Amino acid sequence: MHVEETQQKVNKAKKADKKQRRCLAIIKNDCEVSPSDEPTTYLAILNVGLSNGLTEECLLMEAAATGGKVIQVVMLPGKSYCFLICASLEDSQHIYEGMHNISTIGQQGAVAYLSYVKQLPANAGKSEWNKPLPNGLHVIADFVSEEEESTLLRAIGGDGRTSEVTGTLKHRNVKHFGFEFLYGSNNVDPSKPLEQSIPSACDILWPRLDNFASTWDWSSPDQLTVNEYEPGHGIPPHVDTHSAFLDPILSLSLQSDVVMDFRRGDDQVQVRLPRRSLLIMSGEARYDWTHGIRPKHIDVVPSASGGLTTQARGKRTSLTFRRLRNGPCDCSYPALCDTQQTKVPQELTASLVAQAVTLEQQNVHEVYDKIADHFSETRHTPWPQVAEFLDSFEPQSVVLDIGCGNGKYLGCNPLLLAVGCDRAQGLLAVGRRKRQNVFRCDCLNVPVRSSSIDGCISIAVIHHLATKERRLSALQEMARVLRPGGRALVYVWAKDQRKNDKKSTYLRQNKAVNKERTTEQQQRQRQHQELEQQLPNNNPLPIHTNRTEFQQQDVLVPWKTKDEQKTTYLRYYHVFEEQELENLVSQLQEVQLIKSYYDQGNHCAIFEKISKNSL
Ligand SMILES: O=C(O)CCC(=O)C(=O)O
Ligand SMILES: [Fe+2]
Ligand SMILES: [Zn+2]
């Protein structure tokens, strides 16, 4: 018994040593901070930091419990470590002994490993938060009371009552009053007022703006957009269309604090929007800066002591009040002005395509190239209904697998001439080793003669394309290479991972739900938040939690490697709604939908090229 316990202790210490060494290597590499064998007043707290939701308060409480006195906490954005400056060597030693390999802190209760260090990072204490606000931006704290907050939420149907004007956007729920904001054109139709105007409960707000009234030409708004954000949701950087709305624009934050990013060129300012505060965007802030909210669960915000800390988001409802302009905009900020826009629409389209291409390059192609071997190991069993489709062809038919990956379908029916193509070199190499007929190409440009082949399949490919036009082009490319009478099968990942209340294999493999619930789930959450903190500022896409239902259609799906590093890569997916694939197929030329079905979390369609005679 005793021996066993001692052994356990030894193992725990060994594990801590290893973890500590690994973390120290990271901080040495990140910020040139070296460990000290002798006690110093600088302590590195390893394995927990802003990136996994540690708050300054929590760390200070934990340190205080050891009896050691802390002078300053130094947290760095995006990092899973932080530092303490202790009052004396003695204090430092108390904290080391009381916390190293003992304390479990941060959002997910990770074990803290401590180390004395010789110095602090050079950039310690430099904060992004000392910048001045954009001109014309005001945040008025406590603009409404808690009771008024409840009243307003009730008035807009936030407490569960449904409103007639409800829509679901990709990343949040919206509701409109007065006039509908049309997301397709980013504009309103002034000739179509909604039945529901702005609820009268909002009238309490306007007299409170009298203090500011001299600053702008102010009268009460006629359009209200309600945004509901669950934690992890956001809104991409944008400017509210100049020609649609006047100056100023108001936004009341309810239920939760959040951080909003303002950007102009390379300038970026983060602004805290406390719960029950009013944001006023006027002048430059309304016209010349974009605003957006990153899709995250946790914000990094200034701490009480002037450093940084984290703050978990709750569900947030915002009320954005605007006034219709009914005419062209003549502002003096042409850069983002749609009326004075010098960019022709074609250029705009080109920049959207460029964004899609970059996303696919970074979050599809580069990732598959890196994970090829591991990915391939997980893909060996052909799906029965795909095999059945391949078996439906006459012997000697020519069938092309576009996006063949490791080529698992190429040998399915040995009576066919099966050829595969893919973009990922790494995956093609696996097929080549198996002596398969494979070549490298992009699914939007298949170097195969038109109307030349009997069949093709595209299994789990076009959901990696980032615009509807590109997904459609990929399908059209399949139709092009098919001979009249030739047939194609397409599989795409479905947003809905349940059919008739039955979970797909993808959801069923959620070990976290089945057993070891807490640790698995905690680990996943922790990893999720670390990844969120590392995303670039302009990334509008949320990170999907694996083995859970999809919250929206465009997401980044993590892939964790098996090696020592356990690197996580993010793959871009557009998961399909019901009927979306059928809709695309209906837009194809010379094609007819034969059959569509749902198979294990995928939407699937078989289409046939119509022979010229039957047209
Ligand atoms: O949620 C917010 O505060 C801002 C919403 C917004 O920018 C918009 O709907 O245009
Ligand atoms: Fe906006
Ligand atoms: Zn303008």
Side-chain angles (χ1 to χ4, degrees):
M1 185 65 187
H2 259 87
V3 179
E4 241 171 64
E5 260 173 36
T6 322
Q7 189 57 41
Q8 269 174 11
K9 262 191 198 152
V10 171
N11 286 348
K12 192 175 172 216
K14 263 193 192 157
K15 190 180 157 204
D17 278 352
K18 195 169 156 199
K19 265 288 212 186
Q20 189 190 41
R21 267 201 312 278
R22 197 182 296 161
C23 295
L24 283 169
I26 295 174
I27 62 170
K28 177 81 194 165
N29 188 36
D30 273 5
C31 46
E32 284 292 320
V33 169
S34 338
S36 163
D37 293 333
E38 298 299 309
T40 63
T41 53
Y42 300 134
L43 278 173
I45 314 288
L46 308 166
N47 203 37
V48 275
L50 291 177
S51 79
N52 39 36
L54 181 62
T55 64
E56 182 181 284
E57 195 187 1
C58 168
L59 179 57
L60 283 173
M61 261 167 50
E62 201 69 21
T66 68
K69 194 163 171 255
V70 172
I71 292 184
Q72 202 189 325
V73 180
V74 176
M75 303 244 238
L76 305 169
K79 301 300 179 196
S80 60
Y81 52 81
C82 57
F83 301 91
L84 293 179
I85 306 176
C86 307
S88 69
L89 285 182
E90 233 191 336
D91 289 299
S92 182
Q93 274 163 300
H94 274 304
I95 296 173
Y96 185 96
E97 273 144 35
M99 285 182 70
H100 173 61
N101 201 16
I102 295 170
S103 290
T104 49
I105 44 178
Q107 272 264 320
Q108 282 83 37
V111 180
Y113 305 101
L114 274 67
S115 171
Y116 299 111
V117 289
K118 290 183 180 147
Q119 65 277 89
L120 292 181
N123 60 349
K126 278 208 193 96
S127 171
E128 283 277 299
W129 286 88
N130 302 327
K131 295 183 187 168
L133 294 186
N135 281 331
L137 190 82
H138 309 271
V139 180
I140 312 176
D142 292 310
F143 195 74
V144 295
S145 67
E146 280 179 35
E147 297 83 79
E148 289 165 340
E149 177 183 46
S150 315
T151 310
L152 287 167
L153 287 168
R154 231 172 296 127
I156 54 155
D159 63 349
R161 258 186 271 166
T162 51
S163 153
E164 278 170 37
V165 242
T166 311
T168 307
L169 271 194
K170 280 177 196 152
H171 307 119
R172 58 193 195 280
N173 282 321
V174 291
K175 234 177 251 184
H176 304 284
F177 297 87
F179 292 88
E180 182 169 6
F181 185 76
L182 305 162
Y183 290 93
S185 58
N186 281 332
N187 218 316
V188 283
D189 184 345
S191 71
K192 287 198 186 132
L194 293 171
E195 224 164 86
Q196 282 183 309
S197 54
I198 298 182
S200 55
C202 301
D203 290 344
I204 53 162
L205 306 172
W206 321 133
R208 295 178 197 177
L209 283 163
D210 281 351
N211 293 343
F212 288 87
S214 59
T215 326
W216 337 291
D217 166 23
W218 168 256
S219 72
S220 45
D222 52 10
Q223 197 274 335
L224 162 61
T225 295
V226 178
N227 283 289
E228 287 178 3
Y229 305 83
E230 295 296 334
H233 288 181
I235 185 167
H238 67 279
V239 66
D240 290 30
T241 310
H242 287 200
S243 66
F245 307 111
L246 290 164
D247 180 12
I249 287 170
L250 313 176
S251 187
L252 187 66
S253 294
L254 303 180
Q255 294 175 294
S256 170
D257 295 10
V258 83
V259 171
M260 192 175 255
D261 295 315
F262 282 82
R263 277 196 281 162
R264 181 169 65 174
D266 293 337
D267 259 4
Q268 193 191 322
V269 181
Q270 288 172 292
V271 180
R272 244 179 131 159
L273 304 182
R275 172 178 186 180
R276 295 186 288 101
S277 70
L278 183 75
L279 166 75
I280 304 173
M281 293 182 276
S282 69
E284 279 185 23
R286 184 264 177 270
Y287 290 123
D288 214 24
W289 291 71
T290 63
H291 55 278
I293 297 170
R294 291 213 247 166
K296 299 200 298 181
H297 286 80
I298 294 180
D299 283 311
V300 173
V301 294
S303 68
S305 73
L308 294 174
T309 188
T310 59
Q311 189 178 38
R313 288 186 194 167
K315 177 185 172 173
R316 170 176 178 269
T317 301
S318 70
L319 277 55
T320 303
F321 297 100
R322 305 179 272 214
R323 262 194 309 153
L324 263 55
R325 182 185 294 278
N326 289 318
C329 175
D330 60 353
C331 71
S332 35
Y333 309 98
L336 300 177
C337 184
D338 59 310
T339 304
Q340 301 165 64
Q341 198 56 262
T342 44
K343 258 192 204 166
V344 289
Q346 252 177 4
E347 276 179 59
L348 276 177
T349 321
S351 91
L352 278 179
V353 172
Q355 274 176 32
V357 171
T358 310
L359 181 65
E360 291 166 18
Q361 182 60 37
Q362 291 173 351
N363 293 93
V364 181
H365 307 315
E366 285 174 19
V367 174
Y368 277 112
D369 272 332
K370 286 189 185 119
I371 68 173
D373 284 330
H374 179 202
F375 176 80
S376 178
E377 283 166 32
T378 66
R379 298 289 185 279
H380 29 74
T381 332
W383 281 330
Q385 301 205 61
V386 179
E388 195 181 304
F389 177 77
L390 292 169
D391 282 342
S392 72
F393 285 87
E394 296 284 311
Q396 274 97 57
S397 294
V398 179
V399 176
L400 178 63
D401 183 352
I402 304 178
C404 65
N406 64 358
K408 74 172 185 194
Y409 288 112
L410 297 179
C412 253
N413 178 352
L415 302 177
L416 302 177
L417 172 56
V419 183
C421 59
D422 207 286
R423 278 233 7 184
Q425 291 280 26
L427 289 171
L428 286 177
V430 180
R432 283 206 187 97
R433 288 201 286 273
K434 292 189 274 183
R435 295 176 174 270
Q436 284 168 337
N437 292 312
V438 290
F439 61 93
R440 181 161 187 257
C441 76
D442 188 302
C443 65
L444 295 170
N445 266 306
V446 181
V448 168
R449 203 153 26 88
S450 300
S451 304
S452 66
I453 62 173
D454 301 302
C456 62
I457 61 174
S458 161
I459 310 301
V461 176
I462 68 164
H463 52 211
H464 286 311
L465 297 170
T467 66
K468 181 187 163 206
E469 287 70 27
R470 292 168 70 76
R471 296 185 282 273
L472 193 61
S473 301
L475 292 175
Q476 191 63 62
E477 191 63 354
M478 295 176 77
R480 182 187 65 77
V481 297
L482 284 181
R483 67 162 168 81
R487 283 171 296 131
L489 171 66
V490 186
Y491 267 57
V492 292
W493 218 1
K495 175 161 181 277
D496 202 350
Q497 288 292 312
R498 289 166 196 265
K499 195 74 177 179
N500 306 328
D501 258 355
K502 233 184 101 194
K503 290 181 180 177
S504 69
T505 325
Y506 176 71
L507 289 184
R508 282 200 311 259
Q509 284 173 358
N510 189 351
K511 297 188 207 97
V513 174
N514 298 337
K515 52 179 173 186
E516 296 171 8
R517 189 183 195 120
T518 41
T519 43
E520 267 261 1
Q521 232 161 11
Q522 276 176 358
Q523 260 176 21
R524 209 172 275 157
Q525 243 180 45
R526 185 170 159 195
Q527 179 202 2
H528 189 120
Q529 280 157 11
E530 288 198 28
L531 290 167
E532 275 181 351
Q533 298 292 341
Q534 288 156 18
L535 284 176
N537 272 348
N538 58 349
N539 160 64
L541 298 176
I543 299 174
H544 173 63
T545 308
N546 267 319
R547 312 281 167 208
T548 64
E549 307 264 9
F550 288 101
Q551 302 299 317
Q552 46 267 319
Q553 282 194 273
D554 291 279
V555 290
L556 297 172
V557 178
W559 178 278
K560 201 163 164 191
T561 62
K562 276 192 320 194
D563 54 15
E564 166 85 346
Q565 270 98 25
K566 296 252 183 292
T567 316
T568 302
Y569 294 104
L570 295 172
R571 287 170 299 160
Y572 164 76
Y573 276 89
H574 171 86
V575 290
F576 277 59
E577 295 279 14
E578 211 160 308
Q579 289 300 317
E580 188 177 342
L581 181 60
E582 288 88 337
N583 274 336
L584 287 181
V585 172
S586 74
Q587 291 171 53
L588 298 175
Q589 273 148 40
E590 296 182 280
V591 152
Q592 171 185 322
L593 181 70
I594 304 280
K595 177 182 169 188
S596 65
Y597 57 98
Y598 179 91
D599 182 14
Q600 282 306 321
N602 296 285
H603 290 301
C604 320
I606 297 177
F607 61 81
E608 182 177 318
K609 184 145 170 187
I610 302 166
S611 50
K612 284 263 158 56
N613 328 349
S614 67
L615 272 176

